[in-house]
Amino acid sequence: MRITLLASLLLLCMGISPARAVLHITRDHGGYVEEYKAKYERIRDSHDRVIIDGICNSACTLVLGIVPLNKICVTPRASLGFHQAYYDKAFTFGIKVTSTEGTSELMSYYPDAVKDWIRRNGGLTTEMKKIKNGAELWKIVDPCPEEW
């Protein structure tokens, strides 16, 4: 016990800490905005990293506005998809009805680089607009370093 405590103190003094957890996004088509906000706020507050390694569409993209961008990276398989917000279909008889308020809320979370990309691509519409891996995506999120 004494050796473990001493070793822990030594590591702490040296600035070595255990590796942080990583959220690995591979196939996320979105969902309820409030659930994503809560999830990403927990990740932000715990200083965890996020690797986007596949599809991140709809509410999933809120990660870009809630988790600091220096804690997020993208792999060559990454893609981001943006569209207008919808009301819950349970309240609209199964019909997709766009929400102006919800869309404004989504936009309020996005960093300027995302807002600029959305504007350059015609704004948010009912159709999914995607950014795939490459220079356009890297203007928003850095590619993952090999150690991530």
Side-chain angles (χ1 to χ4, degrees):
M1 174 74 160
R2 186 176 174 106
I3 293 173
T4 305
L5 180 60
L6 182 60
S8 296
L9 287 172
L10 180 61
L11 289 174
L12 184 62
C13 290
M14 292 173 53
I16 298 172
S17 61
R20 294 276 182 206
V22 173
L23 172 64
H24 203 110
I25 299 171
T26 58
R27 185 178 295 170
D28 191 325
H29 295 282
Y32 294 108
V33 168
E34 293 304 316
E35 290 176 8
Y36 279 83
K37 285 171 27 182
K39 173 182 174 178
Y40 294 146
E41 287 166 359
R42 284 190 305 273
I43 291 167
R44 176 198 62 211
D45 295 345
S46 65
H47 307 286
D48 291 345
R49 296 176 178 172
V50 177
I51 297 173
I52 302 174
D53 187 29
I55 297 166
C56 178
N57 288 347
S58 194
C60 176
T61 62
L62 283 169
V63 69
L64 303 171
I66 297 173
V67 176
L69 288 174
N70 67 350
K71 295 288 186 180
I72 305 172
C73 68
V74 293
T75 71
R77 290 180 292 277
S79 72
L80 303 174
F82 302 91
H83 64 81
Q84 290 176 320
Y86 296 97
Y87 288 103
D88 186 335
K89 288 195 273 182
F91 302 110
T92 59
F93 305 102
I95 300 168
K96 274 189 175 180
V97 177
T98 59
S99 167
T100 304
E101 301 84 16
T103 300
S104 292
E105 181 182 11
L106 283 175
M107 288 296 288
S108 74
Y109 277 88
Y110 293 140
D112 288 341
V114 172
K115 290 177 187 176
D116 291 344
W117 184 89
I118 290 170
R119 274 190 220 108
R120 285 193 316 272
N121 287 275
L124 291 182
T125 66
T126 56
E127 297 298 315
M128 185 77 68
K129 295 182 179 183
K130 293 187 178 185
I131 308 174
K132 296 194 179 205
N133 188 52
E136 276 195 308
L137 182 54
W138 300 334
K139 288 178 186 174
I140 297 170
V141 186
D142 289 333
C144 293
E146 289 187 28
E147 66 268 15
W148 277 28

